[in-house]
Amino acid sequence: MSSTTSPFPDRIELTGEGLVLRDWTETDLAAMPDLFDHADVAHWTPIVSPFDAEAARNRLDKARRLREEGSTILLAITVDGGAPLGEVMLRRAPEGTELGYAVGPAHRGHGLAARAVRVMAAYAFEELGAEQVILELEADNAASVGAATRAGFSLLDVPLIEGEEKGRPYVLQTWGLDRP
């Protein structure tokens, strides 16, 4: 971004779909390893592994830095503004507005990812003027593909994204949701 002013407010709290998406805080540091220190989170996401207290501190610091830079917001997924159950991400990039998510294993099966993505997409459309939001997912990640489908996303006819992360190759499909 050419501007030195972040397009994001200093504090964000989004509500809807029975959720409160809010900024990560210092009090969340102890809960973050329980959410992110799992083999499937390590496998399917770029979140560092193992995820310990130091990784939690680094993630909180990174979330604050990325918001300040104006590229990305990382919000805790909660049902009431309290205990975090996962994370939802919005990243503004030249290729578009990308969303991502990770839900702690103990909190899966309640539609949190799909609901959080719909709330974040509404924010992107209403507050940031996005025309489309995208998800980049591995086809083999059935849980994420299911969440994308439940959130109203469709598989886009665009080239696959190939790369390597954490020593393993990946191939991502791009899913999109257009402004209503």
Side-chain angles (χ1 to χ4, degrees):
M1 303 204 71
S2 58
S3 171
T4 57
T5 304
S6 173
F8 304 123
D10 290 339
R11 291 183 38 77
I12 297 178
E13 184 173 284
L14 307 176
T15 59
E17 305 246 357
L19 300 177
V20 177
L21 308 181
R22 61 159 177 81
D23 293 316
W24 287 104
T25 68
E26 303 288 329
T27 58
D28 296 322
L29 291 172
M32 291 171 85
D34 286 339
L35 299 174
F36 302 133
D37 191 36
H38 291 274
D40 57 341
V41 174
H43 182 80
W44 297 117
T45 76
I47 295 173
V48 68
S49 178
F51 196 97
D52 56 13
E54 181 181 352
R57 165 50 61 197
N58 291 340
R59 187 139 185 99
L60 179 61
D61 293 345
K62 179 180 181 179
R64 291 173 173 167
R65 185 180 70 256
L66 292 172
R67 162 121 21 118
E68 204 171 279
E69 292 170 359
S71 66
T72 305
I73 50 175
L74 300 171
L75 300 178
I77 300 170
T78 76
V79 293
D80 58 4
L85 310 174
E87 175 176 87
V88 63
M89 179 260 329
L90 181 148
R91 182 174 70 91
R92 297 181 76 175
E95 61 273 11
T97 302
E98 179 186 358
L99 305 182
Y101 47 87
V103 174
H107 309 292
R108 295 180 186 157
H110 304 286
L112 294 173
R115 291 187 287 152
V117 165
R118 284 192 297 263
V119 171
M120 190 66 99
Y123 174 79
F125 295 138
E126 296 164 14
E127 300 298 324
L128 303 178
E131 292 298 320
Q132 182 182 62
V133 292
I134 61 170
L135 297 168
E136 295 175 343
L137 309 172
E138 291 188 59
D140 292 344
N141 187 343
S144 281
V145 169
T149 302
R150 286 188 301 280
F153 283 69
S154 300
L155 185 60
L156 300 179
D157 186 18
V158 298
L160 297 173
I161 301 163
E162 297 184 42
E164 184 175 316
E165 187 152 23
K166 298 180 189 173
R168 80 170 188 91
Y170 63 80
V171 178
L172 302 175
Q173 299 175 322
T174 303
W175 293 71
L177 179 68
D178 293 332
R179 174 190 284 276

